[in-house]
Amino acid sequence: MNTPELQTPATQRIQELLGCPEARRHLSSYGWIEGMPVVFAHAAERVEDIMGLVSVHGRAVLLVLSDDQTENLQLWHITVPSPIFTRVEPTTPGMMIQELCTRHPESRIIPFRVAYWSHSAAIHEIPLDPYTDRNDLRGSVFPYHG
């Protein structure tokens, strides 16, 4: 992420977040580990497209979901597809990633599957601010100097 042409507000904010020891401890409590791949997506991107990027890594990823209009970020932990998860029906073709992330907000872990996966994977949100419902770094307990 040190390439200037790839520096966006979202990448800069995630770099700052990952550079903060307190934030790293918080992320670790939700499954993040050092060196975990980070996949950036916009809320209106298709689930199939994003999961294609996730599949390339062959391991769990940190999904950074951004909204250009509000500049809010959401963080999601996505596992690899595995036979340990209940096999669910594939997501609807054309489903947007934001819809997947919000379809069961009362559930902590959401099983899902895209059509080209044999097994389901799981996704769960990593709250940026454990004390409020706001999901942007500017309102979080973690330092943000943007």
Side-chain angles (χ1 to χ4, degrees), residues 3-96:
T3 309
E5 62 272 11
L6 298 179
Q7 290 295 316
T8 65
T11 59
Q12 291 170 353
R13 291 166 68 191
I14 292 302
Q15 281 180 324
E16 188 169 312
L17 181 71
L18 295 177
C20 173
E22 180 181 322
R24 291 164 64 89
R25 281 190 298 277
H26 172 73
L27 294 173
S28 293
S29 70
Y30 286 89
W32 175 83
I33 59 171
E34 179 75 33
M36 179 178 274
V38 178
V39 173
F40 289 86
H42 295 284
E45 290 188 74
R46 293 176 352 133
V47 171
E48 295 94 345
D49 295 341
I50 300 307
M51 293 312 129
L53 294 172
V54 168
S55 295
V56 168
H57 297 288
R59 56 187 271 200
V61 303
L62 177 67
L63 173 68
V64 178
L65 191 59
S66 64
D67 183 334
D68 289 335
Q69 293 178 349
T70 64
E71 294 187 8
N72 286 348
L73 295 181
Q74 295 177 12
L75 300 182
W76 296 84
H77 179 271
I78 302 176
T79 68
V80 294
S82 172
I84 67 167
F85 298 116
T86 301
R87 191 170 195 263
V88 297
E89 290 298 315
T91 56
T92 308
M95 176 187 271
M96 300 302 157

Side-chain angles (χ1 to χ4, degrees), residues 66-139:
S66 64
D67 183 334
D68 289 335
Q69 293 178 349
T70 64
E71 294 187 8
N72 286 348
L73 295 181
Q74 295 177 12
L75 300 182
W76 296 84
H77 179 271
I78 302 176
T79 68
V80 294
S82 172
I84 67 167
F85 298 116
T86 301
R87 191 170 195 263
V88 297
E89 290 298 315
T91 56
T92 308
M95 176 187 271
M96 300 302 157
I97 191 70
Q98 181 63 51
E99 185 180 346
L100 173 66
C101 293
T102 59
R103 71 178 183 183
H104 298 293
E106 72 283 351
S107 178
R108 202 172 140 89
I109 296 178
I110 303 166
F112 74 99
R113 184 171 68 87
V114 291
Y116 50 86
W117 286 352
S118 298
H119 304 289
S120 298
I123 183 171
H124 68 87
E125 187 171 14
I126 300 175
L128 287 173
D129 187 342
Y131 304 108
T132 71
D133 289 331
R134 289 189 57 188
N135 281 326
D136 72 286
L137 293 177
R138 291 168 296 178

